[in-house]
Amino acid sequence: MTEKDGSDDRLFPTEPSVRSIAKELYSQVKDVPLICPHGHVDPRVFADNAPFPDPAWLFIIPDHYVHRMLHSAGISHAALGLPGVDGRRGETDSRRIWRILCENWHLFRGTPSRLWLEMELSEVFDVHTPLSAATADEIFDQLTERLNEPEYLPRALFERFNIEVLATTDDATDELASHRSIADDPWPGRVIPTFRPDKVIDPERPSFHDSIRTLAEITGEDTTSYPGYLAALRQRREYFRGFGATATDHGHPSALTAELSNTEAEHLFKRIIEGDFGPQDAELFRGHMLMQMAAMSLDDGLVMQIHPGSARNHDPALFARYGPDQGADIPAPTNYVDHLKPLLNRFGNEPSFTVVVFTLDEATYSRELAPLAGYYPAMQLGPAWWFYDSPHGIRRYRELVTETAGFFNTAGFNDDTRAFASIPVRHDVARRIDCGYLAQLVAEHQLPLDEAHATAYALAYGRAKEVYRL
Amino acid sequence: MTEKDGSDDRLFPTEPSVRSIAKELYSQVKDVPLICPHGHVDPRVFADNAPFPDPAWLFIIPDHYVHRMLHSAGISHAALGLPGVDGRRGETDSRRIWRILCENWHLFRGTPSRLWLEMELSEVFDVHTPLSAATADEIFDQLTERLNEPEYLPRALFERFNIEVLATTDDATDELASHRSIADDPWPGRVIPTFRPDKVIDPERPSFHDSIRTLAEITGEDTTSYPGYLAALRQRREYFRGFGATATDHGHPSALTAELSNTEAEHLFKRIIEGDFGPQDAELFRGHMLMQMAAMSLDDGLVMQIHPGSARNHDPALFARYGPDQGADIPAPTNYVDHLKPLLNRFGNEPSFTVVVFTLDEATYSRELAPLAGYYPAMQLGPAWWFYDSPHGIRRYRELVTETAGFFNTAGFNDDTRAFASIPVRHDVARRIDCGYLAQLVAEHQLPLDEAHATAYALAYGRAKEVYRL
Amino acid sequence: MTEKDGSDDRLFPTEPSVRSIAKELYSQVKDVPLICPHGHVDPRVFADNAPFPDPAWLFIIPDHYVHRMLHSAGISHAALGLPGVDGRRGETDSRRIWRILCENWHLFRGTPSRLWLEMELSEVFDVHTPLSAATADEIFDQLTERLNEPEYLPRALFERFNIEVLATTDDATDELASHRSIADDPWPGRVIPTFRPDKVIDPERPSFHDSIRTLAEITGEDTTSYPGYLAALRQRREYFRGFGATATDHGHPSALTAELSNTEAEHLFKRIIEGDFGPQDAELFRGHMLMQMAAMSLDDGLVMQIHPGSARNHDPALFARYGPDQGADIPAPTNYVDHLKPLLNRFGNEPSFTVVVFTLDEATYSRELAPLAGYYPAMQLGPAWWFYDSPHGIRRYRELVTETAGFFNTAGFNDDTRAFASIPVRHDVARRIDCGYLAQLVAEHQLPLDEAHATAYALAYGRAKEVYRL
C-alpha cells in the first residue's frame, strides 16, 4: 500500500538504520495477498454487493471501538444514532453523526482507531483532508460520492484489497444463505464461514433454549438428549465444512476445559436442558463442550479457536438499551495454565489437531501462553487481539512471546473486524510492526537479513494460511 | 526549568530526530503553571511560611522513598533519625544523617528519587556539586544557607514554582485551621484541602472509634446512627467545599464497591459501630461507603478519587516502632473489572460525576483500567502512581493506556508528594516523558506536530484543571 | 569475548550514540571473571574431565529449551533421542538428531536458544558456518573433532571461560562424591555444591519417603521424628558447607512461607510422615520448612534462594515417558506480598540473613518484588529467570525493577544452566543487555558515565560475589 502523504515510514522504528531495514523487509511483504482467517464481516456484503451506506454507517455506528470512545467523553449513544434493541434510534441524520466524530477527533489521538481511519480514508478512499469540525461536511460529501462508484462496491474492494480468502463468523444454526449465494455466483472471491456454536453451548445466554430448538429443527436431531445434541453439532460442523469452513471459534468467559465421563456429561446436560443449574454448572458445561469440540476437530479437521477472558456487557444500561457487543466488554484476568490443562493433556500432542488460543490478559503472554505454545504441538498462539491489535499492542506481543515460543508457534494476523473497508490497513499496520520487530533483531545481530525476510513473509501470509489450513 | 549542567536533553528519547521533536514539544509546556490536584504537603507550611528545616528534614526523614532504600541496604531507621511513635529518635544530628545519604548515593542509581533530588538541588537550590561522601558536608552547608534566605521560604517557592493551585489531603475531621489561616491572609496562593474520610470510613483502622466520636463532636450529629453518620459526612464535605475543596480521596485496600439496600446498610453499620464485625464486613462496609461517597459527589460536585491496592504496613516491626506510611506498603493484585462494577453501573454514565481511579498493579492498565476509562464517561484514569511515578513508569503508563483510552480519559499529572520542594521537578519529569511519548507518535507518523503540541499542553495543564474542576 | 563475524555490536541499543556508550561500558566488563552462583552443571564433568560427548548430547538431548521447541513443531521426543524413564531411546544416531535441529533452525529465530548456540559455536568452538540442513553434517564433524581436542576438555574450558567459582545444585542426600574428588585433586577450579532439599521437604514428591529414609541412613538421625528430621537437615547443611557451599535453593510450587508453633509443626510432621495429609497440608508443610531453612541460615550463614511459581509436569504423557524437567513446566501466577510476609516479618530485617527471590511471573517485578526487595534488607531479587533469561527478558527486568529497587537489591547474574559450554555466552548476553540499559540512563542524563561503569562492574561481578558470599 503506497501512501500519498509522505508517511511511507509510518510505524517503523525511528533509528535510521533500523528503519531502513524495516522498510526493506516491508517492501517484500506489503503487497502479498491478505489471508483473513478470523473476522466478522457480514457475508451478505458480498452476496448482495450493494454499495456501502454513508460514512456514519461505515465508520461509526457499527464500530464499538469508535462509539465507546465518543461515549467515554459523554456523547450519548442516541446522538450517535445507534439502533436500540427495539429498533429505535435517536439521531438519524448521518451527516450530523459524522460531524460529531470529526468534532471530537482529538479523543482518538494515539489510538489505532484513528490510525486505521486515517489510513483508510487516504489509501482506500483517496480522501486526504484531515478530519476536523471544519472539514466534516467536505469529507462526508467526498466519501458519499466514492461509495456510489463501482470501484467501491464490496466485491471490487475485495479484489483491490487482494484478499485471497476471508472467513466470516457464523452461528452454528445459521443456514449460510449468503455463503450459498456467493458459492453459486460466478464471482471467484473466496468467502468462507466459521463455525461459532456459543449460542448453543453456553446455557447462560438468554437465547440458549431457543437456539437449541432451532438446532433440532434444522438437523432433525433430538437436541434435548445428549447424544442427539452432539450429533446435531457434528452435523452442523459438516454443513459448515461443505461451505469451505476450516475453523471453529469459541468465545467463552474463561479458558476452562473439563474432562467429564460420559455419564457425568449426560447428567449435567440433562440439568442444563431442564434449566436446573447454577453458574458453576454452566461453566463446567462450557468447559466440557470445549473438550467435545476438540474431539470433533480431531475427526473433521476443523481448526479450533478459543477467545476467552472478556467480561461481557459490563454496563447493564447499555445492554438493556442497545444489546450486546456495543463496547462495554471489559477484559478480566485469565488462567490458561490450569484451565487448558485438560484439553492440552488429552489433545495437545495430537498431530492432526490445532487449537489457536487468544488472550485479553497480556500478563499471560510470557507467563503462560508462550510457554504452553512453545511446548504443545497442537497449540498456536493467536495474534494480539481486540484492544491489543495496535502498534504498541503488537510490539508487546512479539516482545513477550517470541523469546519463548519463537515465531512459528504464532498464528499470523487476524483482522477480526466487522469493518470490511478497514481490512487492508489493519493488515498493513501489523506488517509494519512485525517488520519493525524483525528489523530490530537484524540490527542487534540476532538474525541475518535473509531469515528476517523469510520470517516477515511467514507472519504476513504463510502462518495464517498454514495454521488455518487455508 | 532551564538546566545549567548541559542536560537539557534529560529523559528525552535518544534518537536525534525524535529528541528534537520532544524538545520542541517540551519548549512549549515547560513553563506552563503547575496544577497540583493531589498531594500531601502540610498546609501549615504555607500558613506559617517558616524556613524549611535542614537537609535531613527536607530530603530524608519524611521521604519514605529515600529511607526505605537506605533501610534495604541495612541502614537502620534509628541511624536515619526517624521519630518513633513515642517521639524518640536515634540519631539527631542532621548533618550525620545527611552524610549517610551521600555515602550511599549509589543505591539510588536509576531511581526517580535520585533524579528528583539531583534536579531539585540543581534547579531549585542552585547546588551543582555531585553528591558523594566527600561532598556531603559542603552540600549540607550550601543547602542550610539557602534555606534561610527569603527566596527559599515556602510562599516564595510557591510563587517561583508557578503553582496555580495546590491541593492538600486532609482528614474528614480536620478543622482546616491552616487553610483558614491561608484564606484569611492577603497572600494570593491558592491552597485547597481534599476530603479524605478513610479514618471515619474504615472500621479496621485502630483509630476508627475515636474518629467517629470526633466526627460527632464537630458536626453535632449522632454518628452512632447511620443517618447521623451520613449527615455528618455530608456536613464535613460541605465544610471542605467552603475552603475550596474540589475533590475527595479514598485509599482503600481494594477497589471494592458494593450496593447495599438502606436496611442492609443500617444493619451493617450497627454491627460496625458495636465492634461486632469481621474482615469481610469491614470490606463490605468500605465498599458500600464508596457508593455513598459517589452519591454525595453527585449532589455536591466533589470529584472522587480512589487509590486502592496497597497492602499497608507489611512490616509489623516498622509499624510498631515508627507508625504507618514509612515505606513498608507493598502493592497487591487489584481487581477493577468486578470491584468497580457496582459503582460504574450506578454512576458511571452520570454527566455530573467524575471518579479518578489509580492503580499500583500495572497489569490492570491495559487489561482493565484503559478499557473501563475508555467506556464510562464518569471515569478518568489517574496518572502513574507512587512507585510508577518515574521515567519508565510513566512511559509504560502511556504505552499501555493510550491505545485503548486515548489521552482524554487520563487525569493529567499528580505530584502526590509531601516534599514541597520537589514539586516542580516531578512535574518536569512527567512533562518530559509525555513529550517524548508524543514525539514518538509524531516520528512514527501517527500524529501531526500541531496536535502533539495541543496534547502536550493538555497533559501538562488542561487535563488536571478540567478533571479536578479547578 | 571477541567475535569474528563483525557482530561486536550484538544486542546493544541501536541508536549510535547510545550504542557507543554501551560498547564503552561493555569493554570494561566483558573479560571480568565469571561468578556462577546458581546452576545445574553436573560436578562429575569436572571430577572426570572426560571429553564432552557429541553435538546431540551437548546441545539437544539434555536441553529442554531446545527439545521443547522442536516438540512444539511436532517432532517427537523419540526422534530426538531422549532417554525414557525406562532407559530406552528412539533415535540413537546423534548425527541424525543433530540434523533435525539444523533442518528446523528457523523455529528458534528470535529466541535466546538460537543466540546462545550461535555464539557458543562461534566463540567457544570456533565454528562459523551458519546452521542449516545443508551444513548439518559439516558442523557435526567440526564439533566432533573439537570435542576430542584437549583444549575442549571441561577443565580446560573452565579455565578458558575464566570462571572464578561455579556452584552446582545437589540433593540434600547427595554424598557429594564428585565435589570430594575435585577437592582432593590438585586442579584449582572452584566448584561448590548448593544445598537443595526439595526432595526431603516436599511431601508430594513421589520419592519423599525414600528420600527421608536415605536422609536417616546418612545422618544417623531418626527422620521420622520432627526433631530428628530437623537435626538431619542441619547436619546435611553443615556437610555441604564443608565442601564450600554458600547457599541453599528451594524450588517450591508457591512462595508460601508459614509460621507454625513447634507443637503445630510436630503434629503436621507426624501426619506427613504417616502419609495422612492433603494438598493443603503439604503446602503448609513446605511453607513451614522455608521458615525453618531461614532460621538455619541465620545460624550457618547459607544464603537462601527461593524459586517458586512453576507448575511442574504440565504434560503427564511426557512425565510418564521421560520424567521431570523435560520442558513441560509452565509458569503460574505467584503471590509474594502475602506469601513471603511471615518469612520477611520474622527474618527480613536480620543483618546476617540473605534470601534471593526469583520469579516466573513478570507481573510481580514492579508490583511486589521490587517494592519488597527495596525495603527489606535481607531480600535480594534474583535475576531474570528461565524463560526470561533472554535479551528482552533481562531488559524488562531492569526496566520494571530498577526504578523501585535500584541495582543494589538485585543479585547479579545466574546462568542457571546444565549446559556448561553455554555459560560464557549466557553471561555475555546479560552483560551486554545490562550495559545497554546503563547506556540508556547515561544518554538520558540520568547517570554519569563513571557511575555507569561502576554499576556495570557490580552487575557483572560484584553483586553475585557479595550476595552469595563468594
Side-chain angles (χ1 to χ4, degrees):
Chain A
M1 161 146 321
T2 314
E3 292 151 38
K4 302 186 177 171
D5 58 354
S7 59
D8 280 353
D9 292 339
R10 180 179 278 151
L11 299 176
F12 292 139
T14 52
E15 202 286 313
S17 69
V18 189
R19 178 170 280 187
S20 156
I21 300 166
K23 289 177 76 167
E24 157 71 16
L25 294 171
Y26 172 71
S27 71
Q28 301 299 308
V29 297
K30 75 189 174 77
D31 294 324
V32 305
L34 307 188
I35 303 289
C36 307
H38 178 96
H40 300 273
V41 176
D42 187 334
R44 264 187 307 175
V45 165
F46 308 107
D48 299 353
N49 199 33
F52 285 105
D54 62 67
W57 278 104
L58 192 59
F59 294 116
I60 302 171
I61 297 167
D63 188 336
H64 56 69
Y65 290 78
V66 170
H67 59 67
R68 79 191 306 277
M69 181 66 95
L70 293 168
H71 176 73
S72 81
I75 296 157
S76 74
H77 292 105
L80 297 170
L82 260 69
V85 288
D86 57 5
R88 293 199 192 160
R89 299 175 65 200
E91 181 59 66
T92 55
D93 180 340
S94 284
R95 184 181 292 272
R96 282 198 198 155
I97 296 167
W98 174 254
R99 280 180 194 152
I100 292 176
L101 178 67
C102 294
E103 287 157 7
N104 291 282
W105 195 226
H106 66 285
L107 299 176
F108 293 88
R109 288 176 192 154
T111 69
S113 295
R114 175 181 172 124
L115 188 60
W116 292 329
L117 200 145
E118 289 188 346
M119 290 173 76
E120 204 175 331
L121 288 181
S122 165
E123 294 162 27
V124 176
F125 292 101
D126 203 27
V127 170
H128 305 279
T129 315
L131 261 65
S132 72
T135 58
D137 280 5
E138 173 194 338
I139 297 173
F140 188 88
D141 292 335
Q142 283 181 305
L143 285 169
T144 306
E145 196 183 306
R146 296 277 191 285
L147 291 172
N148 287 301
E149 293 169 8
E151 60 261 48
Y152 290 94
L153 291 178
R155 292 183 178 183
L157 288 176
F158 191 101
E159 284 153 30
R160 202 210 311 171
F161 293 168
N162 198 14
I163 295 176
E164 187 171 309
V165 55
L166 181 143
T168 62
T169 299
D170 312 86
D171 284 341
T173 53
D174 194 306
E175 289 289 14
L176 305 178
S178 293
H179 289 88
R180 180 183 301 280
S181 152
I182 295 165
D184 292 348
D185 190 287
W187 181 62
R190 186 173 170 203
V191 177
I192 59 174
T194 300
F195 183 73
R196 174 89 172 232
D198 296 356
K199 287 187 187 160
V200 293
I201 278 184
D202 182 356
E204 292 186 312
R205 298 220 176 194
S207 62
F208 177 70
H209 279 92
D210 289 347
S211 300
I212 289 287
R213 203 170 304 120
T214 308
L215 185 63
E217 285 161 17
I218 58 177
T219 60
E221 297 284 349
D222 173 9
T223 58
T224 64
S225 90
Y226 182 59
Y229 172 71
L230 292 183
L233 287 168
R234 240 180 251 114
Q235 193 192 121
R236 291 311 292 166
R237 292 171 64 107
E238 206 48 39
Y239 185 80
F240 273 63
R241 291 206 334 120
F243 288 92
T246 70
T248 71
D249 185 34
H250 308 274
H252 284 203
S254 81
L256 183 76
T257 61
E259 182 79 70
L260 297 184
S261 73
N262 204 51
T263 314
E264 289 168 328
E266 293 235 18
H267 281 123
L268 180 56
F269 183 76
K270 187 161 182 295
R271 293 205 290 118
I272 296 288
I273 286 295
E274 290 170 356
D276 172 27
F277 65 92
Q280 288 187 333
D281 299 312
E283 177 73 351
L284 187 61
F285 184 69
R286 288 187 297 259
H288 169 70
M289 285 308 297
L290 284 184
M291 292 291 269
Q292 295 305 306
M293 290 292 107
M296 291 185 199
S297 280
L298 247 72
D299 293 337
D300 64 20
L302 290 179
V303 171
M304 186 173 194
Q305 298 177 88
I306 303 180
H307 282 89
S310 178
R312 302 272 170 178
N313 307 316
H314 196 272
D315 181 2
L318 179 81
F319 182 72
R321 181 86 187 81
Y322 296 101
D325 303 325
Q326 298 295 355
D329 302 332
I330 309 292
T334 305
N335 174 322
Y336 294 92
V337 65
D338 296 323
H339 280 182
L340 291 182
K341 194 170 190 299
L343 185 138
L344 292 172
N345 285 177
R346 185 152 157 214
F347 301 115
N349 295 313
E350 289 288 345
S352 65
F353 178 57
T354 299
V355 57
V356 184
V357 180
F358 295 77
T359 197
L360 291 172
D361 180 0
E362 296 188 301
T364 65
Y365 280 151
S366 68
R367 187 181 61 209
E368 303 175 32
L369 290 172
L372 288 168
Y375 172 75
Y376 286 103
M379 178 168 161
Q380 296 285 334
L381 186 51
W385 177 36
W386 198 336
F387 297 113
Y388 313 130
D389 178 10
S390 59
H392 277 298
I394 300 174
R395 266 179 222 145
R396 283 198 299 273
Y397 171 84
R398 291 288 172 213
E399 287 177 6
L400 288 160
V401 166
T402 308
E403 293 184 326
T404 292
F407 294 105
F408 293 88
N409 289 301
T410 65
F413 183 68
N414 284 184
D415 50 69
D416 189 30
T417 188
R418 310 175 197 168
F420 175 60
S422 74
I423 284 180
V425 304
R426 287 169 188 253
H427 283 257
D428 193 54
V429 168
R431 289 174 181 188
R432 286 169 180 270
I433 299 298
D434 281 340
C435 286
Y437 184 77
L438 289 163
Q440 196 71 31
L441 291 180
V442 173
E444 291 179 359
H445 301 281
Q446 292 198 58
L447 198 64
L449 188 60
D450 61 337
E451 293 195 55
H453 270 299
T455 311
Y457 186 79
L459 299 182
Y461 181 79
R463 290 309 296 154
K465 190 159 166 146
E466 184 180 331
V467 169
Y468 284 92
R469 306 182 183 181
L470 295 163
Chain B
M1 158 146 328
T2 312
E3 293 152 39
K4 302 184 176 170
D5 58 354
S7 60
D8 280 353
D9 292 340
R10 181 180 277 151
L11 299 177
F12 292 140
T14 52
E15 203 286 313
S17 68
V18 188
R19 179 169 280 186
S20 157
I21 301 166
K23 288 178 77 167
E24 156 73 14
L25 294 171
Y26 172 71
S27 70
Q28 301 298 308
V29 297
K30 74 191 175 75
D31 295 324
V32 306
L34 306 188
I35 303 291
C36 307
H38 178 96
H40 300 274
V41 176
D42 187 335
R44 264 185 308 174
V45 165
F46 309 105
D48 299 353
N49 200 32
F52 285 104
D54 61 67
W57 278 104
L58 192 58
F59 294 115
I60 302 171
I61 297 166
D63 188 336
H64 55 70
Y65 289 79
V66 169
H67 60 67
R68 80 191 306 277
M69 181 66 95
L70 293 167
H71 176 72
S72 81
I75 296 157
S76 74
H77 292 105
L80 296 171
L82 262 70
V85 288
D86 56 6
R88 294 199 193 160
R89 297 174 66 201
E91 182 59 65
T92 55
D93 181 340
S94 283
R95 183 181 293 271
R96 283 199 197 154
I97 296 166
W98 174 254
R99 279 180 195 153
I100 293 176
L101 178 68
C102 294
E103 287 158 6
N104 292 281
W105 196 226
H106 64 285
L107 299 176
F108 294 89
R109 288 175 192 155
T111 69
S113 295
R114 174 178 171 127
L115 188 60
W116 292 329
L117 200 144
E118 289 188 347
M119 289 173 76
E120 205 175 332
L121 287 182
S122 165
E123 295 162 27
V124 177
F125 293 101
D126 203 26
V127 170
H128 305 280
T129 314
L131 261 65
S132 71
T135 59
D137 280 6
E138 173 193 340
I139 297 172
F140 187 89
D141 292 336
Q142 284 182 303
L143 285 170
T144 306
E145 197 183 308
R146 297 278 190 289
L147 291 172
N148 287 303
E149 293 168 8
E151 61 260 50
Y152 290 94
L153 290 178
R155 292 182 179 184
L157 288 176
F158 191 101
E159 284 153 29
R160 200 208 314 167
F161 293 168
N162 198 15
I163 295 176
E164 187 171 309
V165 56
L166 181 142
T168 62
T169 300
D170 312 86
D171 285 340
T173 53
D174 194 307
E175 291 288 15
L176 306 177
S178 293
H179 289 89
R180 179 182 303 278
S181 153
I182 295 164
D184 292 348
D185 190 288
W187 181 62
R190 185 173 170 204
V191 177
I192 60 175
T194 300
F195 182 74
R196 173 90 171 230
D198 297 355
K199 287 186 187 160
V200 292
I201 279 184
D202 182 356
E204 292 187 312
R205 299 219 175 195
S207 61
F208 177 70
H209 279 93
D210 288 347
S211 300
I212 288 289
R213 202 170 306 120
T214 308
L215 185 63
E217 285 160 19
I218 59 178
T219 60
E221 297 284 350
D222 173 9
T223 59
T224 64
S225 91
Y226 182 60
Y229 172 71
L230 293 183
L233 287 168
R234 239 181 252 113
Q235 192 192 121
R236 292 309 293 166
R237 293 171 65 108
E238 207 47 39
Y239 185 81
F240 273 62
R241 291 206 334 119
F243 287 92
T246 70
T248 71
D249 185 35
H250 308 273
H252 284 204
S254 81
L256 184 77
T257 60
E259 182 81 69
L260 296 184
S261 72
N262 204 50
T263 315
E264 289 169 328
E266 292 236 21
H267 281 122
L268 180 56
F269 183 76
K270 187 162 182 292
R271 293 204 291 117
I272 295 289
I273 286 295
E274 290 170 357
D276 171 27
F277 65 92
Q280 289 187 331
D281 299 312
E283 177 72 353
L284 187 60
F285 184 69
R286 289 187 296 259
H288 169 71
M289 285 309 297
L290 284 185
M291 292 291 271
Q292 295 305 305
M293 290 293 107
M296 291 184 198
S297 280
L298 247 71
D299 293 338
D300 64 20
L302 290 179
V303 172
M304 184 174 197
Q305 298 176 89
I306 303 180
H307 282 90
S310 179
R312 303 272 171 180
N313 307 316
H314 196 271
D315 182 2
L318 179 82
F319 181 72
R321 181 85 187 82
Y322 296 102
D325 303 325
Q326 298 294 356
D329 302 333
I330 310 292
T334 305
N335 175 324
Y336 294 92
V337 64
D338 296 323
H339 281 181
L340 291 181
K341 193 169 190 300
L343 185 138
L344 292 173
N345 285 177
R346 185 153 155 214
F347 302 115
N349 295 312
E350 289 288 346
S352 66
F353 178 57
T354 299
V355 57
V356 184
V357 180
F358 294 78
T359 197
L360 291 172
D361 180 0
E362 296 188 301
T364 65
Y365 279 152
S366 68
R367 188 180 60 208
E368 302 175 32
L369 291 171
L372 288 168
Y375 171 75
Y376 286 103
M379 178 168 161
Q380 295 285 335
L381 186 51
W385 177 36
W386 199 335
F387 296 113
Y388 313 129
D389 179 10
S390 59
H392 277 297
I394 300 173
R395 265 178 222 146
R396 283 197 299 273
Y397 171 84
R398 291 287 173 215
E399 287 176 7
L400 289 160
V401 166
T402 308
E403 293 183 327
T404 293
F407 294 104
F408 293 87
N409 288 301
T410 66
F413 183 68
N414 282 186
D415 51 69
D416 188 31
T417 189
R418 310 174 196 169
F420 175 61
S422 74
I423 285 179
V425 303
R426 288 169 188 252
H427 283 257
D428 193 52
V429 168
R431 289 173 181 188
R432 286 170 180 268
I433 300 296
D434 281 341
C435 286
Y437 184 77
L438 289 163
Q440 195 71 31
L441 291 180
V442 173
E444 292 179 356
H445 302 281
Q446 291 197 59
L447 199 64
L449 188 61
D450 61 337
E451 294 195 56
H453 269 299
T455 311
Y457 185 79
L459 300 182
Y461 181 79
R463 291 308 297 154
K465 191 160 166 145
E466 184 180 331
V467 169
Y468 284 92
R469 306 181 183 183
L470 295 163
Chain C
M1 165 143 322
T2 313
E3 292 151 40
K4 301 186 176 169
D5 58 354
S7 59
D8 279 354
D9 292 340
R10 181 179 277 151
L11 299 177
F12 292 140
T14 52
E15 203 286 312
S17 68
V18 188
R19 179 170 281 188
S20 157
I21 300 166
K23 288 178 77 167
E24 157 72 15
L25 293 171
Y26 172 71
S27 71
Q28 301 298 307
V29 297
K30 75 190 175 77
D31 295 324
V32 305
L34 307 187
I35 303 290
C36 307
H38 178 95
H40 300 274
V41 176
D42 186 334
R44 264 186 307 174
V45 165
F46 309 107
D48 300 352
N49 200 32
F52 285 106
D54 61 68
W57 279 104
L58 192 59
F59 294 116
I60 303 170
I61 297 166
D63 188 336
H64 56 68
Y65 289 79
V66 169
H67 60 67
R68 80 192 306 277
M69 181 65 97
L70 293 168
H71 176 72
S72 80
I75 296 158
S76 74
H77 291 105
L80 297 170
L82 261 70
V85 288
D86 57 5
R88 294 199 193 161
R89 298 173 66 201
E91 182 59 65
T92 55
D93 181 341
S94 283
R95 183 180 292 271
R96 284 198 196 152
I97 296 167
W98 174 255
R99 279 178 194 154
I100 293 175
L101 178 67
C102 295
E103 287 158 5
N104 291 281
W105 196 225
H106 66 286
L107 299 176
F108 294 88
R109 288 176 192 155
T111 69
S113 294
R114 174 180 171 124
L115 188 60
W116 292 329
L117 200 144
E118 289 187 347
M119 289 172 77
E120 205 174 331
L121 288 181
S122 165
E123 295 162 28
V124 176
F125 292 101
D126 203 27
V127 169
H128 305 280
T129 314
L131 260 66
S132 71
T135 59
D137 280 6
E138 173 193 339
I139 297 172
F140 187 88
D141 292 335
Q142 284 181 304
L143 286 170
T144 306
E145 197 182 308
R146 297 277 190 287
L147 291 172
N148 287 302
E149 293 169 8
E151 61 260 49
Y152 290 93
L153 290 179
R155 293 183 178 183
L157 288 175
F158 191 101
E159 284 152 31
R160 200 205 318 167
F161 293 168
N162 198 14
I163 295 175
E164 187 171 309
V165 55
L166 181 143
T168 63
T169 300
D170 311 86
D171 284 341
T173 54
D174 194 309
E175 290 289 15
L176 305 178
S178 292
H179 289 88
R180 180 182 302 278
S181 153
I182 295 164
D184 292 348
D185 190 287
W187 181 61
R190 186 173 170 205
V191 177
I192 59 174
T194 301
F195 182 73
R196 173 90 172 231
D198 297 355
K199 287 186 188 161
V200 293
I201 279 184
D202 182 355
E204 292 187 311
R205 298 220 176 194
S207 62
F208 177 69
H209 279 91
D210 288 347
S211 299
I212 288 287
R213 203 170 306 120
T214 308
L215 185 63
E217 284 161 19
I218 59 177
T219 60
E221 297 285 349
D222 173 10
T223 59
T224 64
S225 91
Y226 182 59
Y229 172 70
L230 293 182
L233 287 168
R234 241 181 250 114
Q235 193 192 120
R236 290 312 290 166
R237 294 171 65 107
E238 208 47 38
Y239 185 80
F240 273 62
R241 291 205 335 118
F243 287 91
T246 69
T248 72
D249 184 35
H250 308 273
H252 284 203
S254 82
L256 183 77
T257 62
E259 183 80 70
L260 297 184
S261 73
N262 204 51
T263 314
E264 290 168 328
E266 292 235 21
H267 281 123
L268 180 57
F269 183 76
K270 188 161 182 293
R271 294 205 290 118
I272 295 288
I273 286 295
E274 291 170 354
D276 171 28
F277 65 92
Q280 288 186 333
D281 300 311
E283 177 73 352
L284 187 61
F285 184 69
R286 288 187 297 260
H288 169 72
M289 285 308 297
L290 285 185
M291 292 292 270
Q292 295 306 306
M293 290 293 106
M296 292 185 198
S297 280
L298 247 71
D299 293 336
D300 63 21
L302 290 179
V303 171
M304 186 174 195
Q305 299 176 89
I306 303 181
H307 282 90
S310 178
R312 302 271 171 181
N313 307 315
H314 196 272
D315 182 3
L318 179 82
F319 182 72
R321 180 85 188 81
Y322 296 102
D325 303 326
Q326 297 296 354
D329 302 332
I330 310 292
T334 305
N335 175 321
Y336 294 93
V337 64
D338 296 322
H339 280 183
L340 291 182
K341 195 170 189 301
L343 186 137
L344 291 172
N345 285 176
R346 185 152 156 215
F347 302 116
N349 294 313
E350 289 289 346
S352 66
F353 178 57
T354 299
V355 56
V356 184
V357 181
F358 295 78
T359 197
L360 292 172
D361 181 0
E362 296 187 302
T364 65
Y365 279 151
S366 67
R367 188 181 60 209
E368 302 174 33
L369 291 171
L372 288 168
Y375 171 75
Y376 287 103
M379 179 167 160
Q380 295 285 335
L381 186 51
W385 177 35
W386 198 336
F387 296 112
Y388 314 129
D389 178 10
S390 59
H392 277 297
I394 301 173
R395 265 178 222 145
R396 282 197 299 274
Y397 171 85
R398 291 287 172 215
E399 287 177 7
L400 288 160
V401 166
T402 308
E403 293 183 327
T404 292
F407 295 104
F408 292 88
N409 287 302
T410 66
F413 183 68
N414 283 184
D415 50 68
D416 188 30
T417 188
R418 311 173 196 170
F420 174 60
S422 75
I423 285 180
V425 304
R426 287 169 188 252
H427 283 256
D428 193 54
V429 168
R431 289 174 181 189
R432 286 170 179 268
I433 300 296
D434 282 341
C435 286
Y437 184 78
L438 288 163
Q440 195 71 31
L441 291 180
V442 173
E444 292 180 357
H445 302 280
Q446 292 199 58
L447 199 65
L449 188 60
D450 61 338
E451 292 196 57
H453 270 299
T455 311
Y457 186 78
L459 299 182
Y461 181 79
R463 291 307 297 154
K465 191 159 167 145
E466 184 179 333
V467 170
Y468 284 92
R469 306 182 183 182
L470 294 165

